[in-house]
């Protein structure tokens, strides 16, 4: 097993432990953001956006680890997060400078991956990760994030 897969397996167990813990939901989500940002060298900003239950076509920023962002509310279709929400599937952008529909948070960000959080097949939110590396994401990142999103959706 290569090192990346081992790391993701360990992190998957860590996320399950956090989800099954006794703290409240926002604390759990924050702990997950901090775990991922702390352990994966190329995860430089890790956060959650949730579908606004009132305005079902807008995302609202939830817990995150990393620099504060001005993008606290994002419409479906806007930026990488909004496109992922509209498609209800994982969206990987290996080079954000080539993506025209992009909402920049920090000039140091070079790539981004977003995976949807689903409940009964419907999108309820997403996990968003920015990296300062160019093209760091592999299929392992995709599977890992989709797997943890399934576990995290138990909180909803
Ligand atoms: N870059 C995102 C906006 C959110 S920040 O990365 C935290 C986008 O294009 O949707």
């Amino acid at each position: 097993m290569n090192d990346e897969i081992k790391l993701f397996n360990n992190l998957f167990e860590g996320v399950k432990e956090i989800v099954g813990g006794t703290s409240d939901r926002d604390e759990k989500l924050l702990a997950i953001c901090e775990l991922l940002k702390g352990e994966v060298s190329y995860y430089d900003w890790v956060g959650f956006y949730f579908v606004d239950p009132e305005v079902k076509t807008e995302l609202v920023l939830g817990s995150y680890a990393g620099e504060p962002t001005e993008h606290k509310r994002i419409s479906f279709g806007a930026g990488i997060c909004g496109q992922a929400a509209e498609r209800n599937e994982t969206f990987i952008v290996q080079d954000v400078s080539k993506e025209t529909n992009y909402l920049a948070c920090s000039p140091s960000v070079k790539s981004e991956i977003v995976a949807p959080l689903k409940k009964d097949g419907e999108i309820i939110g997403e996990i968003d990760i920015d990296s300062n590396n160019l093209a760091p994401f592999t299929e392992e990142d995709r599977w890992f994030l989709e797997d943890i999103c399934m576990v995290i959706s138990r909180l909803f």
Side-chain angles (χ1 to χ4, degrees), residues 45 49 61 69 71 74 78-83 96 101-105 109 112 114 126 128-130:
W45 189 95
Y49 282 92
L61 180 63
T69 173
H71 301 296
I74 298 175
I80 294 168
C81 292
Q83 292 180 77
V96 294
N101 187 359
Y102 170 61
L103 304 168
C105 278
V109 174
E112 183 161 347
V114 180
E126 54 191 35
D128 176 26
I129 294 170
D130 287 348

Side-chain angles (χ1 to χ4, degrees), residues 142-154:
R142 176 201 295 274
W143 302 133
F144 168 63
L145 295 172
E146 290 180 356
D147 283 353
I148 64 167
C149 279
M150 266 194 270
V151 174
I152 295 165
S153 71
R154 290 184 206 148

Side-chain angles (χ1 to χ4, degrees), residues 62-79:
S63 302
Y64 65 91
E67 292 298 305
T69 173
E70 64 187 78
H71 301 296
K72 296 193 168 53
R73 190 170 267 279
I74 298 175
S75 297
F76 274 38

Side-chain angles (χ1 to χ4, degrees), residues 2 4-5 8 138-145:
N2 74 29
E4 195 188 25
I5 296 179
F8 284 146
T138 65
E139 284 304 291
E140 270 71 47
D141 292 88
R142 176 201 295 274
W143 302 133
F144 168 63
L145 295 172

Side-chain angles (χ1 to χ4, degrees), residues 28-88:
K28 289 179 182 179
L29 294 172
L30 180 60
I32 291 167
C33 292
E34 286 171 343
L35 177 71
L36 268 50
K37 181 178 182 293
E39 296 297 326
V40 185
S41 60
Y42 52 93
Y43 286 8
D44 294 297
W45 189 95
V46 180
F48 289 96
Y49 282 92
F50 293 99
V51 178
D52 182 337
E54 312 270 300
V55 189
K56 291 196 167 62
T57 53
E58 286 185 16
L59 296 160
V60 184
L61 180 63
S63 302
Y64 65 91
E67 292 298 305
T69 173
E70 64 187 78
H71 301 296
K72 296 193 168 53
R73 190 170 267 279
I74 298 175
S75 297
F76 274 38
I80 294 168
C81 292
Q83 292 180 77
E86 215 165 47
R87 297 177 192 181
N88 194 10

